[in-house]
C-alpha cells in the first residue's frame, strides 16, 4: 500500500483537476504524512497555479 | 486593478483601454506574438461592433475576456491544423519526466523549500522567470496547461478541444507542472538562494 513519490505526484497534480476518490485521497494523505519531498511538491504545485493566475491578472 | 464598472453600452475608448490586459492574457496562451495580437484585435473589433450586447452584469473586462477565450481557441485550432504535433517531442518529454524519478519511483533530487510563496508572487522578476519557464514547455503540454490554468477550462472541455482522453489530459497537466517546477527550481530557487 506504500505509494511511490511518482504516484503521489500524479495524485497531487490530478487533485487540481478533478475530485479524487476516497481511496485515492487516503493513499495520498498517508504518503504525504511520511514524505517531506512530496509535501514540498504539493506546495510547489499550489504556487504554480497562483503564479500563472497572477501573471494573467496583474500585467 | 479595479475593473471598469460602467453600466450601459461601453465606448470604443473604454474597450480599447483593456487592450494591454487582453494582450497579456492572450500571450500566456499563444506563444506566437502575432497570433496573440490577432486574437486581441479580433476581440476588440467584435466588442466594439457588439457593444450593445454588453449587459453590464459583469465587468467590461470579464465580458471582453469571454470573447477573447473564443478567439484564442480559434487561433489554437488554426495553428493545430498548420503544424501537427510531433511524436518525437512527446517521447523526449516523457523521457525528461522519467529522469526526475529514480528507479524505485522516488524523487531523484530533493525538492527544495521554496519559502514564502507570497514573497515570490509579489516579485516581478519571479513572474518573469515563471513566464520564461512557461515558454519552454512543449507545445501541446503548454496548451493543455494554459487552457486549465489561464482559461480555467475543465478537464472534459480540454479533452474535447484537444481530442484526447481524460487520462492523457491528466498526464499532460502533470508533465506541465513537473516541468515548470523543475524549471523554477533551477532558474529561480537554486541552491544559492536558500
Amino acid at each position: 500500500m506504500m505509494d511511490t513519490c511518482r504516484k503521489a505526484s500524479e495524485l497531487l497534480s490530478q487533485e487540481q483537476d478533478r475530485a479524487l476518490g476516497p481511496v485515492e485521497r487516503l493513499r495520498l494523505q498517508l504518503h504525504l504524512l511520511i514524505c517531506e519531498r512530496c509535501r514540498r511538491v504539493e506546495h510547489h504545485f499550489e504556487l504554480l497555479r497562483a503564479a500563472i493566475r497572477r501573471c494573467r491578472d496583474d500585467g | 486593478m479595479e475593473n471598469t464598472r460602467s453600466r450601459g453600452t461601453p465606448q470604443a475608448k473604454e474597450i480599447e483601454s483593456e487592450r494591454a490586459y487582453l494582450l497579456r492574457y492572450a500571450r500566456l496562451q499563444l506563444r506566437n506574438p502575432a497570433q496573440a495580437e490577432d486574437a486581441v484585435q479580433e476581440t476588440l473589433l467584435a466588442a466594439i461592433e457588439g457593444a450593445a450586447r454588453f449587459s453590464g452584469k459583469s465587468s467590461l473586462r470579464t465580458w471582453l475576456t469571454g470573447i477573447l477565450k473564443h478567439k484564442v481557441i480559434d487561433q489554437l485550432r488554426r495553428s493545430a491544423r498548420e503544424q501537427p504535433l510531433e511524436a518525437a517531442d512527446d517521447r523526449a518529454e516523457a523521457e525528461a519526466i522519467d529522469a526526475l524519478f529514480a528507479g524505485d519511483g522516488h524523487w531523484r533530487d530533493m525538492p527544495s523549500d521554496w519559502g514564502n510563496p507570497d514573497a515570490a508572487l509579489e516579485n516581478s522578476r519571479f513572474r518573469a522567470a515563471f513566464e520564461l519557464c512557461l515558454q519552454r514547455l512543449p507545445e501541446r503540454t503548454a496548451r493543455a496547461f494554459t487552457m486549465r490554468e489561464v482559461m480555467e477550462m475543465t478537464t472534459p472541455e480540454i479533452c474535447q478541444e484537444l481530442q484526447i482522453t481524460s487520462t492523457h489530459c491528466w498526464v499532460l497537466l502533470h508533465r506541465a507542472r513537473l516541468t515548470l517546477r523543475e524549471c523554477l527550481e533551477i532558474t529561480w530557487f537554486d541552491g544559492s538562494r536558500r
Side-chain angles (χ1 to χ4, degrees), chain B residues 77 153-165 169:
Chain B
R77 285 183 184 149
M153 289 165 70
T154 61
T155 313
E157 288 167 342
I158 298 169
C159 292
Q160 198 186 359
E161 189 52 46
L162 297 180
Q163 295 289 303
I164 55 178
T165 63
C169 186

Side-chain angles (χ1 to χ4, degrees), chain A:
Chain A
M1 187 68 180
M2 185 50 252
D3 273 323
T4 63
C5 296
R6 186 165 191 154
K7 180 68 193 170
S9 168
E10 280 170 25
L11 290 175
L12 284 172
S13 176
Q14 289 180 28
E15 198 177 32
Q16 298 201 331
D17 307 316
R18 68 178 175 93
L20 299 184
V23 177
E24 289 173 317
R25 267 209 311 275
L26 186 65
R27 284 173 66 175
L28 182 58
Q29 289 314 316
L30 284 176
H31 183 87
L32 290 177
L33 216 55
I34 55 156
C35 181
E36 188 191 356
R37 295 174 182 220
C38 287
R39 285 200 298 274
R40 285 187 175 176
V41 169
E42 179 179 32
H43 291 303
H44 298 173
F45 284 176
E46 286 163 4
L47 181 67
L48 292 178
R49 170 161 285 180
I52 194 163
R53 295 193 177 161
R54 191 67 188 264
C55 288
R56 177 190 69 188
D57 296 336
D58 265 20

Side-chain angles (χ1 to χ4, degrees), chain B residues 23 28 62 81 94 136 138 142 157 166 170 184:
Chain B
L23 198 54
L28 282 172
T62 306
R81 273 200 301 276
R136 288 198 210 153
E157 288 167 342
S166 41
W170 290 322
L184 283 174

Side-chain angles (χ1 to χ4, degrees), chain B residues 134-165:
Chain B
L134 200 57
Q135 301 277 329
R136 288 198 210 153
L137 285 181
E139 182 84 23
R140 181 158 59 174
T141 306
R143 242 181 248 171
F145 186 70
T146 56
M147 281 178 177
R148 179 77 192 104
E149 301 296 356
V150 180
M151 296 207 237
E152 301 187 39
M153 289 165 70
T154 61
T155 313
E157 288 167 342
I158 298 169
C159 292
Q160 198 186 359
E161 189 52 46
L162 297 180
Q163 295 289 303
I164 55 178
T165 63

